Amino acid sequence: NLCSPGGEKVMELISQITKKESLIFIKAESKDIIGHTSANTLNSLDKIFTKALQLSKLCDDKEGVVIFFDEFDAICGPQMNSDVRATLLGKLADKEGIRSDDSKLIVVAATNYYEALDEATIRKGRFDVHVKIDNPEKQYAIEILKNLCELEKLAVGYDIGKFYDDIKNIEFKNKNPNLSTFYRKQGKLTEEEIVEHIEHERNNFRVSGAFLKNTIQDLKRYAFNTRLIIKNNYIETNQDIVDSFIKER
């Protein structure tokens, strides 16, 4: 079970690991699983596990299958139907399926809200390993920025460390990131609790890998739409452009 702050590319991470290890990757997104009725949800879950088990039986000793559940809290949170809960518990502890001696099936689930998950569903014997993935520290975030600039063919004529510090402090135009989801999960909140949550989400989002990637993409578009210099097939943007970009954000 993987827990990370919003914006982390957990699915991409798992996908890359499965490719490296020659494992079959099955993506199970909550939006595709949760149906209008519990019967629809149960049917979707059953199809996923059945397909995964069938594929795993065709694998040789060096192969296997990974089921990746994204946004697992949407399936396994406080609102989880009792029938869905019972089905998940059964599938995850099935000694003739996932827990069989010759099983080649691994189940991975990711969430931004670890505390909201059903304790029985994620305990040992269902999910044996829990990993928390934090946002990158400054030194690693700067390395991510450098790599993204390289990948996006963007030459930033600006001190990359200062650039990181500046974008980290950008104010959001949207003052309520993820507030509707949080409100729905937690029930009625006081104004102080709402403000506290907004600040928490904002601070997490500012330093996430996804935010850094979006920042580079936006800066690239901004450079195209203002003034840019093409040098050695790179888009070169100077300090004035970066300063204007940060100010307008």
Side-chain angles (χ1 to χ4, degrees):
N1 184 36
L2 302 173
C3 174
S4 74
E8 291 299 317
K9 294 283 187 178
V10 177
M11 185 184 298
E12 186 175 326
L13 171 65
I14 299 299
S15 177
Q16 291 301 318
I17 292 173
T18 55
K19 284 180 182 178
K20 184 178 180 181
E21 300 298 327
S22 300
L23 302 172
I24 299 171
F25 180 70
I26 297 178
K27 180 174 67 175
E29 295 190 78
S30 58
K31 64 182 179 64
D32 298 324
I33 297 172
I34 300 172
H36 294 295
T37 66
S38 60
N40 295 141
T41 304
L42 291 172
N43 185 47
S44 297
L45 284 171
D46 187 63
K47 283 182 178 179
I48 290 167
F49 280 97
T50 299
K51 176 184 177 182
L53 283 169
Q54 288 173 344
L55 288 172
S56 69
K57 290 177 181 178
L58 300 175
C59 295
D60 60 31
D61 292 338
K62 294 183 180 180
E63 297 176 331
V65 178
V66 173
I67 303 177
F68 177 75
F69 287 97
D70 195 22
E71 297 180 345
F72 196 51
D73 49 282
I75 303 168
C76 182
Q79 75 283 5
M80 181 169 55
N81 178 280
S82 59
D83 292 334
V84 173
R85 183 175 186 270
T87 297
L88 265 177
L89 291 176
K91 295 289 187 185
L92 294 170
D94 186 4
K95 292 186 177 180
E96 294 183 0
I98 295 173
R99 295 285 170 178
S100 64
D101 293 336
D102 60 347
S103 175
K104 298 183 180 69
L105 178 59
I106 300 170
V107 178
V108 181
T111 180
N112 298 336
Y113 300 96
Y114 180 80
E115 68 284 352
L117 298 179
D118 177 64
E119 291 184 7
T121 306
I122 63 171
R123 75 182 186 188
K124 190 170 183 179
R126 278 126 191 178
F127 285 96
D128 296 328
V129 180
H130 295 195
V131 179
K132 182 178 181 181
I133 303 175
D134 282 323
N135 282 317
E137 296 177 2
K138 180 176 179 178
Q139 66 185 92
Y140 301 116
I142 289 173
E143 287 301 315
I144 292 172
L145 272 177
K146 288 179 180 177
N147 291 335
L148 288 173
C149 286
E150 181 71 22
L151 288 171
E152 296 297 332
K153 300 294 183 183
L154 180 67
V156 179
Y158 196 71
D159 178 75
I160 204 75
K162 185 177 187 306
F163 180 46
Y164 170 78
D165 286 336
D166 286 343
I167 62 171
K168 188 176 67 172
N169 295 315
I170 293 171
E171 290 295 324
F172 284 107
K173 292 179 181 178
N174 175 13
K175 300 298 182 182
N176 301 348
N178 298 327
L179 185 59
S180 60
T181 303
F182 181 76
Y183 191 94
R184 174 174 59 78
K185 290 187 175 184
Q186 302 296 331
K188 191 173 182 180
L189 303 171
T190 65
E191 283 189 20
E192 290 79 9
E193 288 172 321
I194 291 173
V195 170
E196 182 181 352
H197 172 71
I198 292 172
E199 289 303 316
H200 172 74
E201 288 295 315
R202 180 187 294 168
N203 290 334
N204 275 339
F205 187 61
R206 279 177 181 165
V207 295
S208 71
F211 178 60
L212 297 178
K213 184 172 183 178
N214 289 338
T215 296
I216 294 298
Q217 291 281 10
D218 289 346
L219 183 58
K220 188 176 180 180
R221 283 192 291 267
Y222 189 89
F224 268 120
N225 293 331
T226 53
R227 50 210 164 112
L228 67 162
I229 306 166
I230 302 295
K231 181 185 278 188
N232 298 326
N233 295 321
Y234 277 74
I235 299 167
E236 186 172 283
T237 179
N238 60 29
Q239 181 170 335
D240 290 339
I241 292 179
V242 176
D243 285 340
S244 297
F245 164 77
I246 292 172
K247 184 177 179 181
E248 292 196 9
R249 285 289 290 271

